[in-house]
């Protein structure tokens, strides 16, 4: 379990102190799939970077109920090392942790799981956007993370590839059950993927929606549509005066 | 994009360029527009080349120059790369040594020749010293620029994967710096051949630079032209070999290799 308590983060932009996050309280249970949704610049990425350890909060703390979780991150861009082949990119974080034989086994298994076996020796420049993002997902999964953080990983993909990747992600989560925090600005995506949807607006949590629909979810179904409308209604509610302007993420 | 041009088209383009130059050269000589003393006809230059090649003199001079370039370039590269890494990694080194290096960078290597002759004598060390000075900065600055431009997003991937600072430098920053380094290496190689002639101007008894200045003293412009053409051809050949080596060692740099022009 991971608990975020009163997380706050500010940035100095052109001499102004701008609040990116204020008073965020959040509990992530083991094996849960949480989506965080909100407009661009509402602090989603900042929150994810704090969870990943890439940024420190100005206030509050992140507490884990046990040993520090192994973290995997999938960014909005694939961020593959252009000088490494697909298999080497996937093994990038493993080289430090496990022996050569285990690396080979784990990389082969993840290549099979993500349907990338045929591209094992390809260079990143030879991959399509969807394929590159799949490699990035494989690179995160091969670390066998307890906590998988995903920052709008499918935002740059076309609708067909995005849907296919969403389905694959759900299958992988059901098979391995890591705790997933998935950031998106797409309400439909948030509802299709998450067990819980956290609504973020101007650096604050403005709502939570439990999505009790079995997987795989039909985004055009009645239940999903109702959830989407409820989330949208809360996100479209005008901001209260005490909310500060936030830094774009 | 030029690097996508088929090899056949490239060869055709080179042949057209060479053929065009030779034709203009021959026409200018044949029409008597320029004195044959100042610009001998292509045939005379070819005969001089054949004579120098047959006697082994040309190979002797070319080998001596190539050795100087090889040693000078190798030493410059082997000093510039580690120094650039140290400069990039250490703020203290940057603060202390950067002004001195920036000062040295402004001074043309040939301006230091009198001092180098006094310090290193008139032997090989002085000539190689000139080449080192000419080659050092493009490699040093290329490497530093490459390190500075390493993609922060890839470094974040390294952090997320739990790499420490040294591992991030070795596994992410250094490969990221390669494109800029390759540009520096190729520019340096070009500079090394340019500096060579200057280095061989004084107190030299062998080398292509010596061949050219000696021929000038003897009013043999045909031999001067042979020397110039050989330097150009050998320079092109070494640049081509370096490019091939980089393409083999780092195939993802195809575009960057074409960008660098010495």
């Amino acid at each position: 379990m991971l608990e975020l308590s009163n997380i706050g983060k500010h940035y100095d932009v052109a001499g102004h102190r701008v609040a990116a996050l204020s008073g965020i309280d959040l509990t992530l249970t083991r094996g849960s799939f949480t989506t965080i949704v909100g407009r661009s610049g509402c602090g989603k990425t900042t929150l994810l970077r704090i969870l990943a350890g890439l940024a420190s909060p100005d206030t509050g703390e992140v507490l884990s109920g046990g040993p520090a979780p192994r973290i995997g991150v999938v960014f909005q861009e694939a961020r593959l090392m252009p000088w490494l082949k697909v298999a080497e990119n996937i093994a990038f974080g493993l080289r430090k942790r496990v022996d050569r034989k285990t690396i080979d086994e784990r990389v082969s298994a993840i290549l099979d799981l993500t349907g990338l076996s045929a591209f094992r020796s390809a260079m990143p420049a030879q991959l399509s956007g969807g394929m590159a993002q799949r490699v990035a997902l494989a690179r995160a999964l091969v670390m066998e993370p307890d906590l998988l953080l995903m920052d709008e990983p499918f935002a740059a993909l076309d609708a067909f590839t995005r849907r296919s990747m969403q389905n694959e992600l759900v299958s992988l989560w059901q098979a391995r059950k890591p705790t997933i925090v998935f950031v998106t600005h797409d309400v439909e995506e948030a509802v299709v993927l998450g067990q819980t949807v956290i609504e973020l607006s101007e650096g604050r949590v403005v709502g939570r929606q439990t999505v009790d629909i079995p997987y795989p979810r039909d985004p055009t179904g009645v239940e999903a549509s109702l959830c989407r409308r409820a989330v949208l209604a809360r996100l479209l509610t005008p901001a209260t005066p005490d909310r500060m302007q936030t830094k774009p993420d | 994009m030029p690097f996508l041009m088929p090899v056949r088209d490239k060869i055709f383009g080179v042949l057209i360029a060479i053929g065009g130059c030779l034709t203009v050269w021959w026409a200018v000589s044949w029409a008597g527009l320029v004195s044959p003393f100042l610009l001998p006809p292509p045939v005379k230059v070819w005969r001089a080349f054949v004579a120098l090649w047959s006697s082994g003199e040309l190979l002797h001079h070319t080998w001596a120059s190539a050795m100087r370039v090889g040693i000078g370039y190798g030493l410059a590269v082997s000093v510039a790369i580690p120094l650039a890494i140290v400069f990039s990694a250490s703020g203290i080194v940057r603060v202390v040594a950067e002004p001195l290096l920036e000062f040295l960078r402004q001074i043309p290597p040939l301006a230091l020749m009198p001092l180098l002759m006094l310090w290193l004598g008139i032997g090989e060390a002085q000539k190689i010293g000139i080449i080192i000075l000419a080659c050092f900065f493009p490699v040093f600055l290329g490497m530093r620029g490459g390190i500075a431009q390493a993609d922060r997003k890839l470094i974040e991937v390294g952090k997320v994967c739990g790499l420490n600072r040294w591992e991030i430098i070795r596994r992410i920053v250094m490969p990221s710096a390669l494109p800029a380094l390759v540009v520096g290496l190729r520019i340096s190689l070009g500079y090394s051949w340019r500096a060579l002639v200057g280095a061989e101007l004084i107190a030299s008894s062998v080398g292509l630079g010596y061949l050219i200045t000696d021929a000038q003293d003897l009013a043999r412009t045909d031999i001067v032209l042979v020397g110039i053409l050989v330097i150009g051809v050998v320079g092109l050949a070494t640049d081509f070999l370096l490019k091939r080596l980089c393409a083999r060692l780092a195939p993802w740099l195809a575009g960057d290799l074409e960008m660098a022009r010495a």
Side-chain angles (χ1 to χ4, degrees):
Chain A
M1 194 173 79
L2 208 64
E3 196 165 335
L4 285 77
S5 168
N6 193 33
I7 296 291
K9 178 78 179 172
H10 293 80
Y11 290 105
D12 287 320
V13 180
H16 295 280
R17 193 167 162 77
V18 176
L21 294 171
S22 306
I24 301 285
D25 295 311
L26 202 62
T27 303
L28 302 167
T29 52
R30 186 183 294 272
S32 62
F33 196 142
T34 305
T35 50
I36 298 176
V37 68
R39 296 168 196 258
S40 294
C42 72
K44 307 184 295 287
T45 295
T46 302
L47 182 58
L48 208 77
R49 289 175 64 80
I50 288 171
L51 279 168
L54 293 171
S56 311
D58 295 335
T59 61
E61 53 189 343
V62 180
L63 302 165
S64 62
R70 276 197 305 272
I71 296 175
V73 183
V74 184
F75 297 95
Q76 191 166 348
E77 326 82 19
R79 300 195 185 186
L80 303 180
M81 308 296 159
W83 53 89
L84 298 179
K85 293 174 183 171
V86 163
E88 292 166 337
N89 260 294
I90 293 172
F92 188 77
L94 282 179
R95 275 175 55 178
K96 191 178 167 172
R97 301 175 185 217
V98 291
D99 60 86
R100 188 76 245 173
K101 186 166 170 279
T102 314
I103 290 174
D104 290 342
E105 286 168 4
R106 275 163 75 167
V107 169
S108 295
I110 209 77
L111 282 166
D112 286 341
L113 192 69
T114 49
L116 288 165
S117 296
F119 297 90
R120 160 177 217 118
S121 302
M123 298 301 285
Q126 297 172 304
L127 303 176
S128 66
M131 219 40 113
Q133 204 55 282
R134 200 176 289 184
V135 177
L137 179 60
R139 179 178 62 193
L141 287 173
V142 82
M143 310 275 281
E144 297 182 350
D146 306 310
L147 177 62
L148 180 59
L149 304 170
M150 308 183 78
D151 185 8
E152 303 194 43
F154 309 145
L157 306 181
D158 64 85
F160 304 103
T161 312
R162 187 160 65 233
R163 179 61 53 79
S164 149
M165 293 288 287
Q166 287 168 352
N167 291 337
E168 280 180 37
L169 177 62
V170 169
S171 303
L172 289 166
W173 170 67
Q174 287 175 324
R176 297 192 165 203
K177 282 287 177 183
T179 307
I180 296 182
V181 179
F182 188 105
V183 158
T184 178
H185 61 259
D186 182 343
V187 177
E188 181 183 296
E189 187 172 55
V191 170
V192 164
L193 293 176
Q195 294 174 302
T196 307
V197 179
I198 305 291
E199 297 141 28
L200 209 62
S201 179
E202 300 185 0
R204 291 170 186 272
V205 175
V206 294
R208 290 159 207 263
Q209 176 77 43
T210 303
V211 186
D212 195 13
I213 310 171
Y215 295 100
R217 292 171 179 166
D218 175 11
T220 58
V222 177
E223 289 168 295
S225 297
L226 286 172
C227 281
R228 197 171 64 237
R229 275 188 212 171
V231 172
L232 266 175
R234 282 190 290 271
L235 284 172
L236 291 172
T237 304
T240 52
D242 62 332
R243 290 177 184 171
M244 305 288 286
Q245 188 192 351
T246 59
K247 180 185 182 294
D249 55 14
Chain B
M1 285 183 282
F3 57 88
L4 295 177
M5 193 186 284
V7 175
R8 196 184 58 185
D9 289 359
K10 278 187 180 177
I11 292 170
F12 185 67
V14 170
L15 289 177
I16 290 277
I18 292 172
C21 286
L22 280 173
T23 307
V24 171
W25 181 7
W26 174 81
V28 166
S29 303
W30 179 78
L33 296 174
V34 182
S35 156
F37 170 70
L38 297 176
L39 183 67
V43 176
K44 193 177 176 194
V45 174
W46 173 251
R47 282 186 192 135
F49 170 78
V50 171
L52 286 167
W53 181 261
S54 309
S55 66
E57 202 180 340
L58 189 59
L59 198 63
H60 176 59
H61 288 297
T62 306
W63 177 250
S65 292
M67 287 301 287
R68 284 169 185 153
V69 165
I71 294 169
Y73 182 72
L75 285 173
V77 169
S78 53
V79 172
I81 292 176
L83 206 61
I85 296 169
V86 171
F87 263 63
S88 301
S90 166
I92 296 169
V93 173
R94 263 201 310 277
V95 168
V96 173
E98 188 142 38
L100 178 66
L101 277 178
E102 279 301 307
F103 173 77
L104 280 175
R105 192 164 71 88
Q106 311 307 321
I107 302 169
L110 291 180
L112 293 171
M113 196 135 96
L115 272 182
L116 286 178
M117 285 172 75
L118 287 171
W119 292 344
L120 304 174
I122 55 169
E124 288 301 298
Q126 165 255 339
K127 293 167 187 64
I128 290 168
I130 293 284
I131 295 170
I132 291 174
L133 287 172
C135 295
F136 175 83
F137 283 106
V139 178
F140 177 75
L141 294 175
M143 188 68 189
R144 280 201 62 194
I147 291 172
Q149 286 164 19
D151 191 343
R152 303 280 144 204
K153 292 178 175 176
L154 295 185
I155 292 172
E156 280 189 352
V157 171
K159 286 179 182 169
V160 166
C161 289
L163 304 190
N164 60 33
R165 189 165 180 245
W166 168 241
E167 286 169 326
I168 286 174
I169 290 175
R170 188 171 58 84
R171 294 181 59 190
I172 299 175
V173 175
M174 298 289 285
S176 297
L178 268 183
L181 175 64
V182 166
V183 172
L185 286 172
R186 290 189 62 198
I187 291 172
S188 264
L189 193 57
Y191 281 9
S192 69
W193 284 101
R194 291 179 201 183
L196 176 78
V197 177
E200 289 177 348
L201 275 175
I202 300 169
S204 188
S205 58
V206 67
L208 289 169
Y210 164 76
L211 178 75
I212 290 169
T213 47
D214 189 48
Q216 183 204 4
D217 292 343
L218 298 171
R220 290 288 305 271
T221 38
D222 52 343
I223 296 179
V224 171
L225 280 169
V226 168
I228 289 169
L229 291 172
V230 169
I231 287 175
V233 169
V234 175
L236 273 178
T238 49
D239 183 61
F240 176 77
L241 289 175
L242 179 66
K243 209 164 79 166
R244 297 290 295 186
L245 181 70
C246 291
R248 178 162 284 231
L249 295 176
W252 69 92
L253 293 180
D256 301 289
L257 289 175
E258 284 301 327
M259 271 163 43
R261 290 282 173 217

